[in-house]
Amino acid sequence: MANDQEVEPQFGHAMRSYFQFDASYLPLNHGAFGTYPKVVRDRLRYFQDLTESRPDDFFRFKLAGFVDSARGAIAKNLGVDEGDCVFLPNATTGINTVLRSLVFEKGDVIVHFSTIYGSCEKTVEYLKETTPVESAKILLRYPLGDDEVVAKLRNKIRALKSEGRRARVALFDTVSSLPGVRVPWERLVKVCQEEGTLSLVDGAHGIGHLPLDLGQVRPDFFVSNCHKWLYVPRGCALFYVPAKNQHLIRSSVPTSHGYEPYPIDGQEEVFNPLPVNKGGYFVNLFQFVGTMDIGPYLCMEEALRFRQEVCGGERRIMTYCEHVSKEGARKVAEILGTEIMENEEKTLTRCCFTNVKLPLRMGEEAGQIKPADGFAACSWMTQTLIREYNLFAPPFFHDGYLWIRFSGQIYVEIEDFIAAAKVYRELCSRVEKGDVSRKEGGSMR
């Protein structure tokens, strides 16, 4: 067997040749939309061509076998049962699937942190309009220690109990989006288990980003995008529900052919035109959820193969991504004269994200940026970075300050962070001089 130097490429700019980037573009925001290697692209096109060559044959008779193979591959990678894993287009769909499946009663509460992803919070707000459920938001102002985050969740659940209400489900991240910090999700799951609350883990930044031991942690529901960090094409997410909780998921979103209504005397059974998957009701629910391009799901094995055979395995990838993100952020903070968002335990940066404070003076005095204008400044910088500087690492507003979120990845080097720091230093100078457009824009997940 060849030694590591012969089989493992050098991470950094040399890896760009495996991907499809514009030669002049500097991507420091992998966490938003991800990307995938050329070999995975070729596999995607193979399945698209196969689909178009015999559409009916593919969707009716071949699709189930291909999807089962992909489910088996990711289940093995995570050390869980294949029957507990299905695919969805994205993590937001998974969050909706769980929250819209649960039957809420008066006094039920959805507990979540203030750092919840925006579309998920809007889902909670919608359910408050259409069901008896209420919500309880726990404020997080980073940097925070893990113990404090865990205590906040436990205290909130117990406070609700003392009020005669029930924390029906707690929704939290593996790694939050903005700010991009590692969340002690494993400990939060344990709190839920001890307090009798369902745990719903938004692992949008999970698979391919962090080591995951779902079988050991045992969350009640877990969803994770595969198109962000695992090099699978968009959109593809894993939806993991252990067998003991699958009865709580009555329908996919949207409801499709796999759904089986409870029988009513005298009512005819609704015809399902597609073959039924032998994996059981839960698997069959998500086998065919409307006509769409299933190609991304079927690229799972090729993506895992690339990560193992070309990149040297999950640990090597994650170690480099975390390292380059941390070291690059240190350089950025030095150049900007600011700081990295970190707690005393140094756990916030145990992931592939780092956040660096921008050197803009926030306040109401002359020469300062008013906090109310912070979002306008973010929107302007978001557009200007891409249009004028051909690079991107998203700015965002948190707890009265403006920050940058950086993504570490196998195709970037520390010098890329240095280049971004110099651009941001120039942008901050322009903001202070009033060179800010109030055109609409926004940060990205």
Side-chain angles (χ1 to χ4, degrees), residues 70 116 182 277 288 310 377 439:
I116 186 175
R182 197 190 195 287
N277 191 294
F288 182 91
V310 176
K439 293 181 180 179

Side-chain angles (χ1 to χ4, degrees), residues 207-379:
I207 294 177
H209 188 141
L210 300 174
L212 299 172
D213 191 347
L214 299 183
Q216 179 67 31
V217 181
R218 297 181 295 114
D220 290 303
F221 309 98
F222 183 93
V223 61
S224 184
N225 287 323
C226 302
H227 58 249
K228 286 185 179 289
W229 298 93
L230 201 65
Y231 308 152
V232 174
R234 307 168 206 94
C236 176
L238 170 78
F239 185 35
Y240 167 78
V241 182
K244 68 184 180 71
N245 290 329
Q246 290 176 10
H247 69 283
L248 296 173
I249 305 299
R250 287 282 298 131
S251 173
S252 59
V253 175
T255 300
S256 194
H257 292 299
Y259 172 68
E260 296 178 5
Y262 291 127
I264 299 175
D265 290 341
Q267 181 172 299
E268 292 185 5
E269 182 178 346
V270 180
F271 174 64
N272 181 357
L274 301 174
V276 175
N277 191 294
K278 297 180 180 179
Y281 182 70
F282 175 70
V283 171
N284 202 56
L285 265 182
F286 300 92
Q287 188 68 57
F288 182 91
V289 186
T291 304
M292 62 179 184
D293 183 4
I294 302 295
Y297 300 177
L298 310 186
C299 292
M300 180 62 65
E301 292 166 278
E302 189 64 40
L304 293 173
R305 186 179 299 112
F306 175 85
R307 294 172 70 84
Q308 182 61 45
E309 297 181 1
V310 176
C311 300
E314 298 298 315
R315 178 171 298 193
R316 186 168 185 262
I317 294 170
M318 294 176 191
T319 298
Y320 179 84
C321 292
E322 180 178 331
H323 169 77
V324 75
S325 181
K326 286 182 180 178
E327 294 304 312
R330 288 195 182 99
K331 291 292 185 180
V332 174
E334 289 175 7
I335 291 170
L336 298 182
T338 60
E339 62 187 271
I340 298 171
M341 183 182 289
E342 184 59 289
N343 58 20
E344 292 183 1
E345 303 100 316
K346 309 297 183 185
T347 57
L348 301 184
T349 57
R350 289 180 186 169
C351 62
C352 306
F353 280 144
T354 44
N355 310 274
V356 179
K357 185 182 289 185
L358 283 171
L360 290 172
R361 295 174 297 164
M362 307 296 292
E364 300 293 338
E365 298 180 6
Q368 295 182 330
I369 307 300
K370 296 181 179 179
D373 294 332
F375 292 105
C378 283
S379 295

Side-chain angles (χ1 to χ4, degrees), residues 29-308:
N29 188 34
H30 185 95
F33 303 112
T35 192
Y36 48 94
K38 296 173 184 176
V39 291
V40 177
R41 173 204 61 193
D42 294 343
R43 192 63 173 167
L44 174 65
R45 292 178 179 173
Y46 165 79
F47 280 113
Q48 290 171 334
D49 290 345
L50 186 64
T51 303
E52 299 314 312
S53 66
R54 295 166 60 89
D56 277 283
D57 183 31
F58 182 86
F59 280 107
R60 294 177 186 275
F61 305 114
K62 291 182 178 177
L63 175 62
F66 287 133
V67 173
D68 286 349
S69 180
R71 289 192 304 108
I74 192 59
K76 181 179 179 181
N77 180 269
L78 295 173
V80 296
D81 291 336
E82 179 181 328
D84 297 342
C85 301
V86 294
F87 291 124
L88 301 171
N90 49 62
T92 302
T93 301
I95 299 301
N96 272 262
T97 300
V98 174
L99 294 181
R100 293 171 189 266
S101 292
L102 297 177
V103 179
F104 295 110
E105 301 175 355
K106 185 175 178 57
D108 285 350
V109 180
I110 300 171
V111 180
H112 64 82
F113 294 109
S114 58
T115 49
I116 186 175
Y117 186 54
S119 66
C120 296
E121 184 166 15
K122 288 184 176 181
T123 300
V124 173
E125 292 302 307
Y126 173 74
L127 289 171
K128 287 163 62 178
E129 295 178 6
T130 57
T131 76
V133 79
E134 303 172 70
S135 68
K137 181 190 295 189
I138 302 171
L139 180 63
L140 297 183
R141 291 178 172 172
Y142 283 103
L144 285 171
D146 287 355
D147 289 346
E148 188 171 357
V149 174
V150 172
K152 281 178 177 288
L153 178 62
R154 189 185 300 276
N155 291 341
K156 176 58 68 175
I157 293 174
R158 290 182 174 179
L160 291 169
K161 288 181 182 178
S162 70
E163 298 167 1
R165 296 190 287 169
R166 177 176 67 157
R168 182 77 167 96
V169 59
L171 168 58
F172 47 85
D173 302 299
T174 50
V175 177
S176 62
S177 177
L178 296 173
V181 297
R182 197 190 195 287
V183 177
W185 70 277
E186 301 96 334
R187 294 176 62 188
L188 297 176
V189 168
K190 186 175 181 181
V191 169
C192 290
Q193 292 167 344
E194 293 170 348
E195 300 295 335
T197 296
L198 292 171
S199 56
L200 171 52
V201 183
D202 181 354
H205 304 284
I207 294 177
H209 188 141
L210 300 174
L212 299 172
D213 191 347
L214 299 183
Q216 179 67 31
V217 181
R218 297 181 295 114
D220 290 303
F221 309 98
F222 183 93
V223 61
S224 184
N225 287 323
C226 302
H227 58 249
K228 286 185 179 289
W229 298 93
L230 201 65
Y231 308 152
V232 174
R234 307 168 206 94
C236 176
L238 170 78
F239 185 35
Y240 167 78
V241 182
K244 68 184 180 71
N245 290 329
Q246 290 176 10
H247 69 283
L248 296 173
I249 305 299
R250 287 282 298 131
S251 173
S252 59
V253 175
T255 300
S256 194
H257 292 299
Y259 172 68
E260 296 178 5
Y262 291 127
I264 299 175
D265 290 341
Q267 181 172 299
E268 292 185 5
E269 182 178 346
V270 180
F271 174 64
N272 181 357
L274 301 174
V276 175
N277 191 294
K278 297 180 180 179
Y281 182 70
F282 175 70
V283 171
N284 202 56
L285 265 182
F286 300 92
Q287 188 68 57
F288 182 91
V289 186
T291 304
M292 62 179 184
D293 183 4
I294 302 295
Y297 300 177
L298 310 186
C299 292
M300 180 62 65
E301 292 166 278
E302 189 64 40
L304 293 173
R305 186 179 299 112
F306 175 85
R307 294 172 70 84
Q308 182 61 45

